[in-house]
Amino acid sequence: MKQKLLANVFTDGVILQRDTSIKFWGEAAPDEEIRVAFNDYIYQVTADETGNWEITVPPLPAGATPQLTVTSEETRQTVTDILMGDIWICSGQSNMELPMLRTRRMFEHYNKTTNNPHIRMYHVPMAYNFHGVQTEIPAASWIKATPQDMEKFSATAFFFANKLYEETGVPIGLVLSALGGTPVESWMSREALAAYPELLAQADECQQDGFMAQITATELATQDDWYHQLNTFDRGLNEKWYDENVADEDWKEIDLDVPWDEVTDLKASGSIWFRKEVDVPATLAEQSADIILGTIADGDEVYINGEKIGGVTYRYPPRDYPIPHLKAGKNTIAIRVIAAHGMGEFGFGKAHKLLFADQSEISLTKDWKYKRALSCPPLAGLTFFQNRPIGNYNGMIHPFHKFPIKGAIWYQGETNAGQPEGYSKKLSALITDWRKHWQQGDFPFILVQLANWSPKGPLMHWEQLRDEQAKTLKTPNTRMVVANDIGEYNDLHPLNKKAVGERLAGEALSLAYEKDIVSTGPTLTQIEQAENQLILHFETFGSQLKLSHGDVVYGLSLWVNDIEIAVEGQVIKTSVHIHTAHADQITAVSYAWIDDPVDANLYNEEGLPTVPFKRELTK
């Protein structure tokens, strides 16, 4: 019987870490002789009594293109198109995972024209495990940064790699091991979580026979029943409210930018239908077109002239559907919104429009009619076991510990923002633990601080989580990218991943490639208390402070205990002077200490933003 000899990561197109010894490993029959041919050398190894084998080969330089053939008594496996370069682990949650497809409206040029086979990515599929660390790498394929596969790339990771390649010429391999909605503890090992018995208890619960399967089966059955009832009793479906000729004279009127919490009959769960007639000129009707509706909570179905053209079942992806055809003259658009988990909404501040091939637009925000089709109790949320502690580490990180890397980039924290206290200890423990298991010393670890966001509802404590992230920098060989100026106030998943990726690359070029560049924004080092003023001193890494707009520093606050007083500051070289007649009463100073610090304008000359802070004053 033929066997798969090599670990899954060793497939055609793999990038291997340059300038370091490489391990190859896999499985065979117990005590079987294995022959490994790599870079014109032949190696012999014998599988152990369990069938596991591994071998270490000498380093090769960047750009080398060896071939790998592994042979057993019955099996021969050849890996082609190998490149020697730098491997970066790319981990975290959805903002790391978010693909180039989602950014196509902003970066379509990159998706269509990038043709760089020296940038490659291995997207690790979800493979959490609570029974112990896994050794087999989840199966995937290496893809290249070419038009065929560009939309599959992590946007953050691609722009990171693209900048590194531009600056170094070294092939870049990206191992994307990230999952949306996951907290930091899901990426930590059992050893790293030793100080958190309550978190380990959550993981251990998942080891019970049938525990996860029973919960999943029950919740999926409840979900299926909820949607079955919804679809059965939805008047809009039964009466075909998507049809062009529906009588909607008695429907209520609304604009899509009206908050739903201001409209009584939109607040309940269930389904609500929206209809609008749009007049399309003949010259535009001849073109291809898309309908863009922003984000919608929670699900949607969109119909044009009675034909369903698209739909999404959860709230975060931007609705961007191609239209098969439009008519010259009147066209009827119908949207079925499914509010599953409480009140629904059209994402506030988002564009709603028809976009044509020649970039002409017809706005769709105003003058809709709507009617509720069904009110019902909300659907209970599902249990996402990938969010439980240690599961993702066991299945999606530990299997790579034999695979040499250059470093890691990390974009995570949104899920932990509700309870920010102690995040820095967890992330520092994760970094230390990963380094221990990789056995490559203190390899570079670069994280993204949370971007700006201004959600409705309760405050998210993002400013506190950002501060916790900054505390992680006490861990050696760790850097942080500030992103609170390149997010979107109305979107948890901001699209400007180019800026994030290139800032990550800047830190990598400085830390891992030892380039003499300014890669970090200004960082507060000292608060000097003088008569009638406070002087904030910054480390600017050889640069000078600079304002992005205005003549004074905005985003500053002085605190008298819990009372916040907004103030302005004057830039003098590498310091900021705040004048106050009550300097002796001030207990703290803060900058950009808010979820969405839109006014913050303190940068360095390289255009990098200041690390936000709130610091207590000592008397």
Side-chain angles (χ1 to χ4, degrees):
M1 182 178 67
K2 287 190 175 183
Q3 302 160 324
K4 188 177 186 303
L5 294 174
L6 280 162
N8 286 324
V9 74
F10 300 114
T11 60
D12 292 348
V14 62
I15 291 184
L16 302 175
Q17 182 59 44
R18 63 175 172 132
D19 300 332
T20 189
S21 299
I22 298 294
K23 284 185 179 180
F24 295 114
W25 72 94
E27 295 181 359
D31 303 315
E32 187 171 18
E33 294 294 325
I34 306 297
R35 180 176 180 269
V36 179
F38 180 72
N39 193 36
D40 300 326
Y41 291 92
I42 305 297
Y43 306 87
Q44 299 286 343
V45 62
T46 302
D48 65 20
E49 64 275 10
T50 65
N52 293 307
W53 66 269
E54 70 177 52
I55 194 169
T56 302
V57 302
L60 288 175
T65 57
Q67 182 169 294
L68 170 66
T69 300
V70 181
T71 308
S72 69
E73 184 176 339
E74 297 184 354
T75 303
R76 178 184 177 90
Q77 187 175 345
T78 297
V79 181
T80 62
D81 193 20
I82 299 172
L83 268 180
M84 303 305 297
D86 285 338
I87 294 291
W88 287 85
I89 296 289
C90 311
S91 192
Q93 55 184 109
S94 54
N95 272 306
M96 179 62 81
E97 195 177 23
L98 187 141
M100 286 293 292
L101 173 64
R102 287 268 290 270
T103 70
R104 68 187 182 93
R105 292 295 175 195
M106 185 174 289
F107 301 118
E108 188 171 19
H109 169 77
Y110 286 92
N111 284 343
K112 288 185 174 181
T113 65
T114 299
N115 189 15
N116 188 347
H118 293 95
I119 296 174
R120 304 179 183 181
M121 188 183 81
Y122 188 92
H123 188 177
V124 183
M126 182 168 67
Y128 54 84
N129 193 293
F130 299 98
H131 292 278
V133 295
Q134 303 301 292
T135 56
E136 179 58 293
I137 290 171
S141 299
W142 286 90
I143 62 174
K144 300 176 183 178
T146 62
Q148 178 182 354
D149 286 324
M150 269 302 299
E151 290 187 342
K152 302 174 187 175
F153 267 76
S154 155
T156 294
F158 165 73
F159 285 116
F160 167 76
N162 192 55
K163 185 66 173 179
L164 289 186
Y165 185 78
E166 286 179 353
E167 296 296 327
T168 68
V170 174
I172 302 295
L174 306 165
V175 174
L176 176 63
S177 190
L179 289 174
T182 51
V184 63
E185 49 267 24
S186 71
W187 299 100
M188 298 172 68
S189 73
R190 176 170 291 276
E191 293 84 356
L193 283 170
Y196 303 92
E198 72 284 359
L199 295 178
L200 291 178
Q202 295 178 23
D204 293 343
E205 188 177 41
C206 297
Q207 297 180 11
Q208 301 173 21
D209 291 341
F211 174 77
M212 291 191 293
Q214 180 179 357
I215 290 177
T216 299
T218 300
E219 291 179 349
L220 289 178
T222 299
Q223 179 176 270
D224 289 345
D225 182 65
W226 191 90
Y227 278 102
H228 175 73
Q229 297 293 326
L230 180 80
N231 294 335
T232 299
F233 297 105
D234 186 310
R235 287 182 58 194
L237 291 178
N238 294 330
E239 298 174 11
K240 299 182 179 180
W241 289 355
Y242 50 80
D243 192 79
E244 293 180 82
N245 300 313
V246 168
D248 57 12
E249 293 81 2
D250 63 336
W251 289 32
K252 297 180 181 179
E253 296 182 353
I254 196 171
D255 298 334
L256 296 190
D257 56 0
V258 171
W260 284 32
D261 56 5
E262 296 179 3
V263 183
T264 300
D265 54 358
L266 291 181
K267 292 182 179 180
S269 295
S271 59
I272 306 96
W273 287 73
F274 296 79
R275 288 173 55 86
K276 179 179 177 65
E277 289 186 355
V278 181
D279 189 61
V280 177
T283 54
L284 296 182
E286 296 172 353
Q287 303 180 31
S288 62
D290 300 290
I291 184 169
I292 296 173
L293 296 168
T295 55
I296 300 176
D298 295 294
D300 68 286
E301 296 174 357
V302 178
Y303 301 80
I304 294 185
N305 299 326
E307 179 182 356
K308 184 178 177 179
I309 65 162
V312 172
T313 58
Y314 66 112
R315 69 184 302 155
Y316 292 115
R319 275 50 169 185
D320 190 338
Y321 305 129
I323 302 172
H325 60 271
L326 288 167
K327 301 182 295 186
K330 185 185 77 171
N331 292 261
T332 302
I333 304 173
I335 306 172
R336 182 194 186 208
V337 176
I338 300 169
H341 304 292
M343 185 181 69
E345 69 172 359
F346 288 92
F348 59 104
K350 294 291 186 179
H352 314 101
K353 61 188 177 183
L354 296 176
L355 179 64
F356 296 88
D358 67 357
Q359 299 304 302
S360 297
E361 299 179 1
I362 295 178
S363 175
L364 300 178
T365 300
K366 304 297 183 181
D367 302 324
W368 286 75
K369 293 185 174 182
Y370 79 97
K371 188 172 184 177
R372 177 172 286 278
L374 182 69
S375 295
C376 60
L379 172 65
L382 297 176
T383 300
F384 296 108
F385 289 104
Q386 64 267 32
N387 294 353
R388 292 286 184 101
I390 82 172
N392 297 330
Y393 171 83
N394 283 349
M396 300 175 65
I397 295 296
H398 188 272
F400 285 93
H401 283 158
K402 296 179 184 178
F403 194 61
I405 62 174
K406 183 73 170 181
I409 58 174
W410 174 263
Y411 195 160
Q412 191 279 332
E414 296 90 342
T415 297
N416 290 95
Q419 294 181 309
E421 296 83 4
Y423 178 87
S424 63
K425 292 182 180 179
K426 291 178 181 176
L427 185 54
S428 295
L430 178 149
I431 297 168
T432 301
D433 186 70
W434 283 19
R435 288 170 172 169
K436 180 183 74 173
H437 285 97
W438 248 286
Q439 296 183 11
Q440 290 185 219
D442 291 343
F443 62 74
F445 190 101
I446 308 168
L447 64 133
V448 179
Q449 198 178 46
L450 291 186
N452 51 303
W453 186 41
S454 183
K456 290 185 175 181
L459 293 177
M460 298 297 293
H461 308 297
W462 279 34
E463 72 283 354
Q464 296 177 36
L465 198 283
R466 290 191 191 111
D467 198 48
E468 288 285 324
Q469 289 174 313
K471 291 177 183 177
T472 308
L473 297 178
K474 296 176 183 177
T475 306
N477 257 25
T478 302
R479 296 282 182 89
M480 183 183 73
V481 165
V482 177
N484 63 13
D485 62 330
I486 48 179
E488 298 177 31
Y489 78 94
N490 58 355
D491 204 326
L492 182 63
H493 304 102
L495 297 183
N496 190 2
K497 297 300 191 256
K498 183 173 185 289
V500 174
E502 291 186 348
R503 287 181 183 178
L504 282 165
E507 293 289 16
L509 289 167
S510 171
L511 179 61
Y513 297 88
E514 299 180 348
K515 300 285 187 180
D516 185 17
I517 59 173
V518 177
S519 60
T520 302
T523 303
L524 180 70
T525 57
Q526 179 188 0
I527 300 176
E528 180 183 347
Q529 297 172 260
E531 184 178 358
N532 294 328
Q533 67 175 332
L534 298 174
I535 304 174
L536 312 183
H537 296 277
F538 292 86
E539 170 60 74
T540 57
F541 307 96
S543 180
Q544 295 283 324
L545 294 176
K546 186 176 180 180
L547 301 178
S548 61
H549 59 274
D551 299 321
V552 296
V553 180
Y554 301 118
L556 287 166
S557 290
L558 300 180
W559 296 75
V560 179
N561 298 319
D562 294 329
I563 300 174
E564 182 180 8
I565 306 165
V567 294
E568 298 173 350
Q570 298 287 336
V571 170
I572 300 179
K573 295 183 178 179
T574 61
S575 64
V576 172
H577 294 237
I578 304 171
H579 294 277
T580 172
H582 308 286
D584 58 331
Q585 299 178 26
I586 304 303
T587 57
V589 181
S590 67
Y591 172 76
W593 194 254
I594 191 172
D595 292 341
D596 182 22
V598 293
D599 294 329
N601 63 340
L602 188 61
Y603 287 69
N604 60 16
E605 292 175 326
E606 285 72 22
L608 297 170
T610 295
V611 178
F613 61 85
K614 182 180 180 183
R615 295 294 178 264
E616 304 295 326
L617 297 184
T618 57
K619 299 300 182 182

